[in-house]
Amino acid sequence: MIKKTILFLAVMGVLIPAFSLAQNETATVPENWEEIKDLGQKGLEQSKGLPQILENIFKNDVLPVWEKMYSWFKTNILSKLSPSVQKEIEERKPVIKEEFQKEKEEIRGDLPNAKTTLMNLWQKIKEILK
């Protein structure tokens, strides 16, 4: 298997650069600002439809696949996990509330320090901008 892979990569390594030799037209560097401007306008005109194309691809191809995957996950996985997860949540609810209160108090204690730090930072930014 490895020999076949190496052989394939070696053949492609020889063939792919050869494809560039078959091209008739070579890219040229714009000579002046008018050519650059024309090239830019041409690129903008060609890219105007890109958002609509991407939206259509997303709505018609990507979104239905993700909706099907979610539907399958919901029916096959989530329905089996839901009762055990709900049970675990109910068991941990008092602990979660207690931890939430601790975090709230800790944040209230840190708030004055954060305010002074932000004010100092704002003063330094004002000094830099002057």
Side-chain angles (χ1 to χ4, degrees):
M1 182 66 183
I2 293 177
K3 290 181 182 180
K4 289 181 181 179
T5 304
I6 292 173
L7 179 64
F8 174 76
L9 292 174
V11 169
M12 293 310 291
V14 171
L15 289 179
I16 288 176
F19 291 137
S20 67
L21 298 174
Q23 295 179 354
N24 295 333
E25 191 177 307
T26 58
T28 59
V29 178
E31 298 290 326
N32 55 28
W33 287 106
E34 284 300 316
E35 289 182 15
I36 294 172
K37 183 180 175 184
D38 293 341
L39 188 63
Q41 286 178 345
K42 188 177 179 182
L44 282 174
E45 288 174 9
Q46 291 178 351
S47 67
K48 281 185 180 176
L50 188 62
Q52 186 64 33
I53 292 169
L54 292 175
E55 180 183 6
N56 287 339
I57 290 172
F58 183 77
K59 284 184 178 177
N60 298 329
D61 296 334
V62 176
L63 196 58
V65 170
W66 280 97
E67 286 173 344
K68 287 178 185 176
M69 288 182 354
Y70 176 71
S71 176
W72 179 88
F73 177 79
K74 188 176 174 183
T75 56
N76 294 321
I77 306 295
L78 199 58
S79 63
K80 294 175 184 171
L81 288 178
S82 186
S84 61
V85 170
Q86 288 293 342
K87 179 182 168 192
E88 191 70 29
I89 289 172
E90 289 301 320
E91 288 176 2
R92 294 184 181 195
K93 204 175 246 185
V95 176
I96 292 171
K97 284 184 180 181
E98 182 180 319
E99 289 295 321
F100 181 71
Q101 290 298 329
K102 286 180 185 177
E103 289 291 326
K104 197 181 341 181
E105 294 300 322
E106 187 176 315
I107 289 173
R108 283 187 182 152
D110 292 343
L111 197 57
N113 295 336
K115 184 179 178 182
T116 56
T117 305
L118 284 174
M119 293 304 288
N120 291 338
L121 180 63
W122 180 246
Q123 293 299 327
K124 288 180 183 179
I125 291 173
K126 280 184 178 179
E127 290 173 9
I128 290 172
L129 294 176
K130 287 182 181 180

